Amino acid sequence: MSADPPEEFFDADTHVAPASFADLAVLLSPYWRDYAAGAALRADPVQGGAYPPAMVDGLAPHDVAALRAAVLDAPAPGGGRVGTAVLTCTTAFDVSRNHAFEAALCRAVNTWTAQRFLDHEPRARGSVAVPLGDPAAVVAEIEHWADDPRFVQVLLPVRGHDLRWGHPVFRPVLAAAAAAGLVVTLHAWGRVGSAPTTTGFTHTYLQDYLSHGQVAQSQLVSLVAEGALGALPELRVTVAECGSSWLPPLLWRLDKEWRGIRREVPWVDRMPSEYVREQVRFTTAPVHLPRDPGELHDALDVLGAAGLLLYAGDHPHRHGDGVARLLAALDPAARAAVRHGNATAWYRSTGTAWYRGTGTAWYRSTDTVATPAPSLASTQHAPEVPR
C-alpha cells in the first residue's frame, strides 16, 4: 500500500518583509525616495523591537526562494505541507505619520508583494497594506487591488488609532473590504504612539507584549457595539497573533451586559456573541492552553476551536508548542478544519485563481526573482506628490 499523502495546511499568517528599504525605494517616485532618505526611514526584516531574540527564527522571507525554503517546501506540524500561505507584510505599520507618504509606501509594499511572491508562486496569497492616516486613501488602495484575486485580505494593525476600528469613521474602509470580498485582518502590533490599554501606556515590554490580547478584545467589542458587524453582514474579520483563549469570558460578559444595557446600542439586535462567531476568526499562533489534558479539552470545547481557529505558522516568529498540542488534542474532523478547512472557506479559496476575464494563469512558473515583470494590477502607482 502507498503511504498516506501528507496533511494539507492553509497557513493564514506567514510574514514577509523587504530585506531593506531599498527594496521599496525603487517602487517610489524620486520625490518620495528623496523624502525617505532624508528622514532616514528603514525597513526591519526581523522586527527585532517587537519580539525577544529567542522568539524570532531568522529574517522574514524577502523573496520567493526564501519563502519556499522556510514555509512552502518545509514540513508543517506532523510532517504535513503548506498548500496555501497568506502573506502578511507589516512593514508599513509604524513607519511614518505623513499620510501622503504612507499612501505611496503602501502602494510600494503591495506592488513588492505582487512582484516578489505572487507573480511566481501559486501557493501564495497577498494582504493589502493600507495607509492608516487617511480612510479615503485606505478605500482607494483596497479598490486598486480588488480585481486581483491573489489578494485575499486587508491588513490592519490591532493597535491602530485612539478610535477603534468599529467607529463610524472607519465604516467606509470596512465596507470597501466587504464589497471587494476581502477579509479584514487585525494583526498584532501597530502604532506605538497609541496607548495599548484603557488606562494609558505600559511601562515594560512584558506589559506591552501582553496588551495585544486586551487591545484585540476592545476592537471586537467596538466592531459589535458600534454596529459594524451588524451593518456589514458580509464583513469577515480575522484576529491574527493576538491569542484566542480570552474569547469565551469576553463573550459571556458581553452578552450579559448587552441584555441589561441594550438600549445604548439599538442596532445590536441579537446576542453579541452571535456576530463574533459568525463573522470573526482567530489564528492559532499564539494559542495559550492549559497543560492538563482534561483542562485542555475543556478549553477547546468552550472556545469552539473547531469552528473558529485558522492554522497559522506565523513564520518567522516562535510561540512554543501550543499549536502542536492544540492539533493533537482535536479529533480528526476538527483537526482537518483547523489545518485547512476553516481557512479555505473563510478566504473562499478555490485553488489556482485566474485573472478575471483574461483566461490566463495569474502566476509565473519561473523561479527567477531578481527583476520580475510587474503584475497586471501593479503597473500603476499611488499619487506621488503630497495632497
Side-chain angles (χ1 to χ4, degrees), residues 158 164-167 171 186 198 213-230 237 239 246-247 249-255 257-258 265 267-268 272-273 275-276 280 282:
V158 72
R164 300 298 182 237
W165 292 116
H167 191 279
R171 190 67 53 82
L186 305 182
T198 57
Q214 302 166 18
V215 176
Q217 293 180 57
S218 71
Q219 297 285 14
L220 283 187
V221 172
S222 171
L223 289 170
V224 173
E226 300 191 69
L229 295 182
V237 177
V239 177
W246 43 259
L247 182 65
L250 172 68
L251 295 184
W252 296 337
R253 181 166 185 184
L254 185 55
D255 283 349
E257 304 301 348
W258 171 78
V265 288
W267 43 84
V268 181
S273 60
Y275 292 103
V276 174
V280 183
F282 302 81

Side-chain angles (χ1 to χ4, degrees), residues 42 100 112 123 141 144 158 175 215 232 267 286 301 311 314 333 350:
R42 64 187 181 91
W112 173 84
R123 292 171 289 180
E141 193 65 18
H144 178 82
V158 72
V215 176
L232 300 168
W267 43 84
D301 182 58
Y311 169 77
D314 196 33
T350 56

Side-chain angles (χ1 to χ4, degrees), residues 158-176:
V158 72
R159 184 173 169 180
H161 300 268
D162 290 333
L163 297 175
R164 300 298 182 237
W165 292 116
H167 191 279
V169 72
F170 299 119
R171 190 67 53 82
V173 170
L174 303 180

Side-chain angles (χ1 to χ4, degrees), residues 110-134:
N110 296 328
T111 302
W112 173 84
T113 298
Q115 293 182 359
R116 284 294 181 94
F117 301 101
L118 306 185
D119 283 351
H120 304 278
E121 179 50 69
R123 292 171 289 180
R125 301 291 185 271
S127 305
V128 180
V130 293
L132 305 179
D134 183 354

Side-chain angles (χ1 to χ4, degrees), residues 173-358:
V173 170
L174 303 180
L182 299 173
V183 172
V184 169
T185 291
L186 305 182
H187 198 287
W189 305 104
R191 299 287 194 185
V192 296
S194 177
T197 77
T198 57
T199 54
F201 288 93
T202 57
H203 305 289
T204 66
Y205 182 84
L206 172 63
Q207 292 171 286
D208 193 69
Y209 190 83
L210 185 66
S211 72
H212 283 84
Q214 302 166 18
V215 176
Q217 293 180 57
S218 71
Q219 297 285 14
L220 283 187
V221 172
S222 171
L223 289 170
V224 173
E226 300 191 69
L229 295 182
L232 300 168
E234 294 301 313
L235 176 65
R236 290 162 289 150
V237 177
T238 297
V239 177
E241 210 174 330
C242 295
S244 56
S245 57
W246 43 259
L247 182 65
L250 172 68
L251 295 184
W252 296 337
R253 181 166 185 184
L254 185 55
D255 283 349
K256 175 185 179 296
E257 304 301 348
W258 171 78
R259 291 189 183 99
I261 322 175
R262 59 190 297 177
R263 67 180 180 183
E264 287 277 317
V265 288
W267 43 84
V268 181
D269 56 8
R270 55 194 175 109
M271 299 285 275
S273 60
E274 294 181 21
Y275 292 103
V276 174
R277 293 195 175 275
E278 290 176 10
Q279 294 179 252
V280 183
R281 298 292 181 267
F282 302 81
T283 64
T284 60
V287 62
H288 309 103
L289 298 169
R291 289 283 176 180
D292 179 82
E295 294 178 354
L296 171 58
H297 282 86
D298 288 344
L300 296 179
D301 182 58
V302 171
L303 175 62
L308 285 183
L309 296 184
L310 313 176
Y311 169 77
D314 196 33
H315 180 80
H317 307 141
R318 296 174 177 173
H319 298 286
D321 65 350
V323 175
R325 291 194 300 114
L326 162 72
L327 294 174
L330 297 173
D331 63 55
R335 187 161 52 247
V338 172
R339 284 199 324 261
H340 63 84
N342 291 341
T344 299
W346 196 240
Y347 292 97
R348 297 172 184 169
S349 172
T350 56
T352 302
W354 296 74
Y355 275 126
R356 295 182 180 92
T358 65

Side-chain angles (χ1 to χ4, degrees), residues 21 32-41:
F21 199 85
W32 287 123
R33 282 200 297 271
D34 181 70
Y35 176 92
L41 296 179

